[in-house]
Amino acid sequence: MRVAFVAEVTAQHDDTGRTRRLRRLAELLANRGHDVTVFCAQWWDGDHETFEQDGVVYNAVTTDPPGQSPSRRFALSLPGALRRSKPDVIHAAAVPKHVLAAKTASKLARAPLVVDWYESPSEIESTSKSLRMAARAPDEVITPSETIRTRVRELGADGGDVRVIPNSIDMDAIRDARVVDGANIVYSRRLDEDANVESLFLALAELRDKGWHAVIIGDGPEREGYERQAADLRIDDRVEFTGAQPVEKRIPVFRGAHVYVQTARREAFPTDLLRALACGCAGVVEYHVESSAHELVEQEERTFRTTSEQELTDALRAAADLPRMTENEEFERYDNDPVLERYLDCYRDVQDSFGFF
């Protein structure tokens, strides 16, 4: 199958949840033998139009570095570039200008359009006419969670044309990783204004009489503030800030930890929570309306969902009594292969439907 991805900004430009998700999918498809091209702004050196990395061909629609807003030049050049590639399926990131340009290309190339909608729009964005047009334009919208699916439907997308496909994890990497002991409780995320580590710290302060050690993995603009909070609560001698760590270093810490805590106010899909659960951690999630983390724990054993500081403290006490594990095979359904099959099923479905028009 020839799959054309549309993403002006790639993970090579800016490593975010949205760009990592598309890069992971493109590489999994290429490893399975599919013909994968990413139409993007150029990120490699030299004057050659294409560049291959990890089996994926990157095609420069523009050579300008991506700016703060989507490029008009990229949108104008996209339909012709896609038509020349003759894709079987077009898979675009949810950038309104580019979705609408990809829709034009979809008609020219006679290929269905799938849009990956990774994040909830802000209140201001939700009033955008172009955003609402982009929600209705694709033949199928894919979201990482029910939370995002609801937001896309609120923008006007037909509920029957929106499906949830979660981020995937590498179960073999989890099974093969070593176990790093030391952390009873672990939190990992970019430390920005939505990280909400203060909820965890307040709960830990109530448990000073217990023998715990917490590890905070991640970096960001709010790190210094969180370090001060830990000091103000007089728990800084038991809280370790490691900074940002690659996934191959995070997984061994998860395997050695007892409890993983997710308190972020905003999360499209909590991939590290999923990894930690697969590593055998008990999961404690604080519910927030703009976070999908609660979806991972609603039907799972060894997990707790909380809605208040007291409930979070009580959940940490209860989680401490659960037996330790270093892996949990219940999460095999999130492995790369079964999740990839869900994407392929989506592509086949939209191709079958597209053929009737």
Side-chain angles (χ1 to χ4, degrees):
M1 188 181 297
R2 295 186 303 277
V3 183
F5 284 87
V6 174
E8 182 181 12
V9 179
T10 67
Q12 292 86 347
H13 291 113
D14 188 16
D15 189 31
T16 65
R18 179 174 68 179
T19 59
R20 283 194 299 272
R21 176 174 164 95
L22 286 178
R23 180 177 183 175
R24 183 188 305 115
L25 174 58
E27 292 176 359
L28 288 172
L29 286 166
N31 289 339
R32 186 70 73 85
H34 297 281
D35 184 350
V36 180
T37 302
V38 179
F39 292 83
C40 59
Q42 184 171 330
W43 52 264
W44 56 93
D45 295 329
D47 56 3
H48 41 289
E49 186 176 288
T50 62
F51 186 86
E52 184 172 341
Q53 185 178 76
D54 296 319
V56 177
V57 175
Y58 292 84
N59 188 310
V61 178
T62 61
T63 57
D64 301 329
Q68 293 296 316
S69 59
S71 164
R72 183 171 181 269
R73 182 182 298 179
F74 184 92
L76 290 173
S77 302
L78 185 63
L82 284 171
R83 185 180 186 183
R84 289 191 294 273
S85 74
K86 299 180 180 179
D88 297 310
V89 175
I90 299 170
H91 188 135
V95 178
K97 281 185 181 179
H98 303 163
V99 169
L100 298 177
K103 184 63 176 180
T104 299
S106 167
K107 296 175 180 178
L108 294 173
R110 299 182 181 276
L113 172 63
V114 172
V115 169
D116 197 281
W117 208 293
Y118 190 70
E119 295 165 329
S120 294
S122 67
E123 290 186 16
I124 295 176
E125 289 173 329
S126 296
T127 64
S128 164
K129 182 179 179 181
S130 63
L131 197 70
R132 292 181 173 276
M133 291 174 63
R136 296 191 296 267
D139 298 286
E140 190 88 6
V141 176
I142 297 174
T143 69
S145 63
E146 290 290 345
T147 298
I148 309 301
R149 182 176 187 264
T150 298
R151 301 294 178 270
V152 176
R153 291 182 65 184
E154 289 170 350
L155 290 172
D158 185 326
D161 294 334
V162 185
R163 74 175 73 192
V164 175
I165 302 180
N167 287 354
S168 66
I169 55 175
D170 187 341
M171 286 297 293
D172 284 340
I174 288 172
R175 297 184 189 101
D176 295 342
R178 63 194 181 96
V179 177
V180 173
D181 293 318
N184 305 106
I185 299 162
V186 65
Y187 173 105
S188 64
R189 190 188 183 277
R190 174 172 165 76
L191 302 182
D192 57 21
E193 61 184 5
D194 291 319
N196 190 31
V197 186
E198 59 265 30
S199 286
L200 171 59
F201 285 170
L202 290 171
L204 292 176
E206 293 296 316
L207 300 172
R208 287 190 186 90
D209 59 326
K210 305 298 182 181
W212 53 263
H213 178 73
V215 171
I216 310 298
I217 303 174
D219 212 339
E222 300 301 317
R223 176 176 173 175
E224 289 186 8
Y226 289 129
E227 290 175 338
R228 285 194 299 271
Q229 287 178 15
D232 292 342
L233 291 167
R234 291 179 287 121
I235 58 173
D236 53 314
D237 59 330
R238 300 164 70 182
V239 176
E240 177 185 354
F241 287 82
T242 69
Q245 300 292 331
V247 65
E248 58 267 22
K249 290 190 176 181
R250 300 198 301 272
I251 288 175
V253 176
F254 298 161
R255 293 196 75 192
H258 196 163
V259 182
Y260 184 96
V261 180
Q262 172 80 22
T263 55
R265 298 185 186 92
R266 191 177 183 92
E267 198 71 71
F269 187 88
T271 310
D272 263 3
L273 170 61
L274 176 58
R275 290 189 180 106
L277 295 174
C279 287
C281 286
V284 176
V285 171
E286 185 177 63
Y287 174 81
H288 293 280
V289 68
E290 291 299 335
S291 170
S292 68
H294 64 279
E295 296 178 29
L296 280 181
V297 302
E298 285 176 337
Q299 306 298 324
E300 300 296 338
E301 298 180 356
R302 295 174 55 82
T303 61
F304 304 83
R305 189 177 76 163
T306 71
T307 57
S308 69
E309 291 175 8
Q310 186 57 55
E311 287 182 1
L312 181 57
T313 303
D314 293 342
L316 289 173
R317 286 196 182 99
D321 293 332
L322 295 175
R324 284 182 175 269
M325 297 172 60
T326 57
E327 60 189 65
N328 189 338
E329 294 294 335
E330 292 295 321
F331 293 90
E332 176 70 30
R333 65 187 184 278
Y334 292 99
D335 188 39
N336 288 330
D337 285 341
V339 172
L340 179 59
E341 285 300 326
R342 294 172 67 173
Y343 279 103
L344 291 171
D345 286 343
C346 173
Y347 295 161
R348 296 181 190 111
D349 290 345
V350 293
Q351 282 184 307
D352 290 344
S353 300
F354 197 77
F356 288 106
F357 298 97

